[in-house]
Amino acid sequence: DAKTTQPNSMESNEEEPVHLPCNHSTISGTDYIHWYRQLPSQGPEYVIHGLTSNVNNRMASLAIAEDRKSSTLILHRATLRDAAVYYCILRDVGNTPLVFGKGTRLSVIA
Amino acid sequence: SAVISQKPSRDICQRGTSLTIQCQVDSQVTMMFWYRQQPGQSLTLIATANQGSEATYESGFVIDKFPISRPNLTFSTLTVSNMSPEDSSIYLCSVAGTREGYEQYFGPGTRLTVT
């Protein structure tokens, strides 16, 4: 599996936007970029995914660089409930299991 | 989506014993996986549970230590055998391949402490 690099931790103020970066310089043409998050004492949950174009859903936005070697997960208004570990994962098309890196621990300050 | 339940939610076991963890999904799924999350660490894939055949294990995990069953499309078990304190972890069941697509869903986990 292609590797991703994320900062170990980030901090944000409540109600502010948060940009979580991810580098994936060895991404292949069939790799989708997935983001999952793990809230305290819970299993991971799906956030968003994309291939080439920017994506939006009710939880977040995903901005993908034109060369696909990096991406950014955007939380438009951080809340205390968004405090979690965020994982950026490359996954080939199909049903291969997710392989987790270390992720970014996001702290949200009231 | 898929709703996953795991039993037990937590357990404290003595070294040398075995524990079987059950994973039940509320709908038929194509893929079922087992992960381990050691304290303060990320998730590590143990194996893919295959219906009707032997599980596919990742490097570093063996069938004798982590036997897995998957008798149908909604149920799987993971056994942690001959436990040692190093097996103290959270074990998570995950599924993919629902009617909606191949997004992965995770159970709440089983917190295992070995004394």
Side-chain angles (χ1 to χ4, degrees):
Chain A
D1 294 303
K3 190 174 173 62
T4 63
T5 304
Q6 300 177 252
N8 289 333
S9 62
M10 292 185 65
E11 200 173 81
S12 172
N13 294 318
E14 198 177 12
E15 306 289 315
E16 296 289 320
V18 182
H19 291 234
L20 297 165
C22 181
N23 288 319
H24 29 78
S25 58
T26 59
I27 189 170
S28 73
T30 57
D31 282 331
Y32 281 78
I33 302 160
H34 289 251
W35 285 82
Y36 279 71
R37 72 179 185 181
Q38 187 172 22
L39 302 172
S41 300
Q42 294 188 28
E45 64 178 3
Y46 169 82
V47 178
I48 200 167
H49 78 283
L51 183 62
T52 56
S53 303
N54 294 344
V55 184
N56 300 295
N57 65 21
R58 63 175 180 79
M59 288 182 70
S61 296
L62 176 60
I64 301 173
E66 197 169 334
D67 64 4
R68 301 211 322 129
K69 293 185 177 182
S70 65
S71 61
T72 303
L73 178 70
I74 303 165
L75 307 179
H76 295 286
R77 291 181 64 195
T79 69
L80 296 178
R81 194 194 173 277
D82 292 321
V85 179
Y86 287 78
Y87 297 98
C88 170
I89 303 169
L90 302 183
R91 187 186 188 198
D92 201 348
V93 65
N95 53 17
T96 56
L98 295 170
V99 176
F100 288 80
K102 294 183 178 180
T104 296
R105 181 175 298 277
L106 175 66
S107 302
V108 180
I109 302 169
Chain B
S1 65
V3 178
I4 304 169
S5 59
Q6 288 185 231
K7 290 181 181 179
S9 59
R10 59 177 61 225
D11 207 341
I12 300 173
C13 301
Q14 292 196 346
R15 68 171 69 210
T17 63
S18 298
L19 176 72
T20 296
I21 302 168
Q22 298 180 3
C23 174
Q24 179 73 55
V25 193
D26 68 342
S27 59
Q28 293 187 342
V29 294
T30 305
M31 310 293 289
M32 295 184 80
F33 311 105
W34 287 97
Y35 289 81
R36 179 175 75 181
Q37 187 167 29
Q38 295 177 302
Q41 303 296 313
S42 181
L43 285 80
T44 301
L45 179 65
I46 297 172
T48 299
N50 301 310
Q51 191 210 354
S53 65
E54 198 169 281
T56 305
Y57 290 84
E58 298 298 306
S59 176
F61 298 95
V62 295
I63 187 171
D64 290 346
K65 176 67 176 177
F66 297 101
I68 289 170
S69 77
R70 189 179 172 190
N72 56 49
L73 293 176
T74 63
F75 185 79
S76 177
T77 66
L78 168 75
T79 299
V80 185
S81 303
N82 188 24
M83 288 184 284
S84 68
E86 292 71 35
D87 294 320
S88 297
S89 295
I90 298 173
Y91 293 86
L92 296 107
C93 174
S94 178
V95 303
T98 65
R99 286 184 182 177
E100 291 79 20
Y102 283 98
E103 175 183 330
Q104 255 184 258
Y105 300 92
F106 289 81
T110 295
R111 183 179 294 272
L112 171 62
T113 302
V114 183
T115 59

